[in-house]
Amino acid sequence: MILQEKINAQLPEWRERIRKLVKEQGDYVIDQVSIGQVYGGMRDAKVLVSDISYVDPAEGIRFRGYTIPEVIAKLPKPDGASMPYVGGLYYLLLVGEIPTREQAQAVEAEWQARSVVPQSVFDMLRALAPQAHPMQLFSQAVLALQSSSVFARKYGEGMKKDEYWIPMLEDSLNLTAKLPAIAAFIYSLKYRNGTVSHPDPELDWAANFTQMIGVKDKEYEDLSRLYFILHSDHESGNVSAHVTHLVASSLSDIYYAFSAGLNGLAGPLHGLANQECLGWLLDVYQKFGGVPTRDQLRQFAWDTLNSGKVIPGYGHAVLRVPDPRFTAQLEFARQRFPNDEIFRLAEMVYEVVPAVLKEQGKAKNPAPNVDAISGTLQYHYGVREFDFYTVLFGVGRALGVTANAVWARALGQPIERPKSLTTKMLEEMAKSQ
Ligand code: NMX
Ligand code: MLT
């Protein structure tokens, strides 16, 4: 399999590079940790490593060194599409090189071959669906696949440490292959007729998702490709990536680990912000019977803040500029449906809300993040059930966290176990200084 060959070829050099760095520079101090950081969610504590993506506070994400416009321009695209194969992005994340069209198609073919979801998963989801949020269903479905883990089986049989990453890659391909069908079934169960749809062998991964949720629109196929690429990875410290990494560091398999990561994504300060954000926009729209004036919108934003709530889709723990994932979606919509009312409202929010947040003076970054606009685009194409939106985020996020998990295992990253202290100890340390 092409991904395995490509990673295998790079491993001796990577292992030697890290061995040498740790041996020769292991005592080099990267940073210091303050009491403020310990109590403040470890913000900006530089304690993780990932070579798959990096978020520069002043620029935003780069995937394997490439900005979003570069990724869109360089990755191969299906005939007639304006956005790349998601299989090409997965190749880039895993291998670190821009794939040829054949290489991107090879990943798509791997996904096709592994896309069949066991009937037992559908049956379980059916039983849970009436009372469950789509994110609970999504996380449960991933967990239900755990019994098929190749890593868990091979580990039980006995395997050399150097080879752990190979079944991890197998599991990652098996898992990511099934996610479009699982997400589409959750959509069907919650909002349509509950039927199971199957991938079409002629279509790529993202187009299959659109086909299976029943949106018949070529533009939406492109939006899906863009959406899954944009949401794939955001370096390693965000909650979903970090949780997945932490859980996998105990050598649990990718199903356990990613299911846990999804549970983190389901929080309103993380991935669930995308559903909250569209809900907020629609509240504005309903309250004013359409797109409001700037003054009305400003007042609505203040009312939200004064009621003790956050404005969803704005602010970020790392970014200090508008999120380029936001900008990419804004451009997509501007080029295709500039007059859509909810889109015009989202644009107006972008013009008004940063100044309100600045005036309030609390948020370190008053600019929009990825969630500020993603729901607006889904809404335009008829995917209007916004408690489904975080599932879409999760389908994309699987790509980045599984790529990281494969490499973490290939490089033998150990079980993660930082040290905790008591408040008394911290008080004494501070006093003695
Ligand atoms: N609206 C109102 N207050 C905000 C916002 C916002 N959008 N963003 C930050 N603040 C507040 C924050 O609650 C905190 O208040 P307090 O001191 O009372 O606790 C203060 O500003 C300082 O927070 P920051 O250091 O700027 O932000 P932090 O790194 O702690 O948190 C977020 C980052 C993203 C959690 C935060 O900006 C937020 O809650 N945004 C809204 C929710 C959201 O859009 N989340 C999605 C993030 C992206 N994703 O997909 O995961
Ligand atoms: C993400 O994509 O995970 C979010 O932007 C949150 C983060 O990076 O902290």
Side-chain angles (χ1 to χ4, degrees):
M1 186 232 298
I2 187 161
L3 292 168
Q4 191 178 323
E5 279 165 33
K6 289 277 176 182
I7 295 172
N8 202 30
Q10 295 178 24
L11 273 182
E13 195 184 323
W14 270 106
R15 285 178 175 152
E16 176 53 20
R17 198 170 151 192
I18 292 165
R19 192 200 60 76
K20 192 164 177 271
L21 185 64
V22 174
K23 182 161 183 271
E24 293 174 8
Q25 304 291 342
D27 292 332
Y28 178 84
V29 177
I30 304 165
D31 211 353
Q32 291 181 329
V33 179
S34 68
I35 289 180
Q37 285 176 304
V38 170
Y39 280 101
M42 296 183 278
R43 206 68 82 254
D44 207 31
K46 296 174 184 70
V47 291
L48 294 166
V49 59
S50 169
D51 292 291
I52 288 175
S53 72
Y54 177 71
V55 178
D56 184 318
E59 183 196 53
I61 187 77
R62 279 181 184 251
F63 301 108
R64 290 286 194 173
Y66 296 102
T67 63
I68 291 168
E70 286 167 350
V71 164
I72 294 171
K74 286 176 190 288
L75 287 180
K77 301 177 179 69
D79 288 336
S82 65
M83 292 296 156
Y85 283 112
V86 179
L89 183 271
Y90 202 41
Y91 183 103
L92 173 65
L93 297 182
L94 278 161
V95 174
E97 295 160 8
I98 298 285
T100 62
R101 191 179 164 80
E102 289 67 35
Q103 288 166 332
Q105 286 173 341
V107 177
E108 294 280 346
E110 286 288 345
W111 276 337
Q112 276 286 351
R114 298 159 187 260
S115 60
V116 177
V117 178
Q119 184 59 39
S120 57
V121 175
F122 293 132
D123 293 343
M124 180 205 66
L125 291 175
R126 242 184 243 291
L128 294 173
Q131 60 285 347
H133 185 278
M135 277 304 278
Q136 193 221 119
L137 296 177
F138 195 34
S139 175
Q140 301 260 24
V142 170
L143 197 56
L145 291 170
Q146 192 280 330
S147 42
S148 66
S149 170
V150 183
F151 178 85
R153 179 167 51 79
K154 295 222 165 183
Y155 187 82
E157 288 165 5
M159 180 176 35
K160 284 202 283 186
K161 199 174 175 189
D162 273 8
E163 291 169 3
Y164 285 174
W165 68 275
I166 298 171
M168 194 70 168
L169 176 62
E170 274 295 302
D171 279 351
S172 295
L173 281 164
N174 286 335
L175 169 64
T176 48
K178 294 172 180 52
L179 295 181
I182 290 173
F185 181 63
I186 291 170
Y187 188 76
S188 170
L189 260 181
K190 291 295 286 184
Y191 319 112
R192 297 290 185 268
N193 55 10
T195 52
V196 174
S197 304
H198 299 285
D200 173 345
E202 298 301 313
L203 296 177
D204 58 287
W205 193 79
N208 255 320
F209 169 74
T210 76
Q211 173 266 120
M212 288 187 282
I213 64 162
V215 180
K216 293 184 179 57
D217 188 325
K218 285 278 164 201
E219 269 184 18
Y220 187 70
E221 286 182 7
D222 272 327
L223 175 62
S224 297
R225 294 183 187 103
L226 176 68
Y227 186 103
F228 295 135
I229 288 172
L230 294 181
H231 287 78
S232 61
D233 208 31
H234 214 231
E235 67 175 37
S236 281
N238 68 75
V239 170
S240 48
H242 189 195
V243 169
T244 306
H245 174 74
L246 171 65
V247 175
S249 82
S250 73
L251 291 188
S252 79
D253 59 61
I254 198 64
Y255 301 99
Y256 280 129
F258 181 54
S259 173
L262 284 175
N263 299 340
L265 193 69
L269 296 186
H270 191 19
L272 204 82
N274 62 7
Q275 83 166 49
E276 303 270 295
C277 190
L278 194 70
W280 194 83
L281 289 179
L282 294 184
D283 285 349
V284 174
Y285 196 80
Q286 266 154 24
K287 173 161 181 176
F288 299 105
V291 179
T293 65
R294 279 183 167 60
D295 282 344
Q296 286 171 326
L297 181 58
R298 195 172 294 112
Q299 190 52 51
F300 193 93
W302 271 113
D303 291 346
T304 302
L305 294 177
N306 291 335
S307 70
K309 294 186 186 150
V310 297
I311 299 184
Y314 282 75
H316 201 273
V318 175
L319 286 166
R320 293 297 174 257
V321 289
D323 190 334
R325 300 171 299 174
F326 167 86
T327 316
Q329 295 178 88
L330 186 80
E331 286 307 318
F332 186 98
R334 271 189 186 149
Q335 285 164 17
R336 290 164 179 84
F337 47 89
N339 298 322
D340 175 292
E341 292 251 296
I342 301 299
F343 174 64
R344 281 181 45 225
L345 172 57
E347 267 193 313
M348 189 191 277
V349 173
Y350 180 33
E351 287 156 18
V352 167
V353 160
V356 172
L357 286 171
K358 258 191 211 159
E359 199 181 329
Q360 192 206 28
K362 277 171 70 176
K364 292 193 189 67
N365 173 30
N369 61 56
V370 66
D371 299 322
I373 192 119
S374 57
T376 303
L377 277 68
Q378 296 298 324
Y379 199 77
H380 174 80
Y381 290 105
V383 182
R384 297 196 157 184
E385 300 80 4
F386 43 91
D387 57 359
F388 182 67
Y389 292 170
T390 313
V391 173
L392 293 174
F393 194 152
V395 172
R397 186 48 52 97
L399 304 165
V401 299
T402 56
N404 274 287
V406 169
W407 274 94
R409 212 145 280 192
L411 298 174
Q413 287 195 3
I415 187 164
E416 202 174 273
R417 203 313 185 179
K419 182 82 189 80
S420 64
L421 300 168
T422 66
T423 300
K424 189 160 186 282
M425 287 171 186
L426 294 176
E427 283 165 348
E428 279 164 8
M429 281 175 175
K431 216 185 290 165
S432 71
Q433 209 184 48

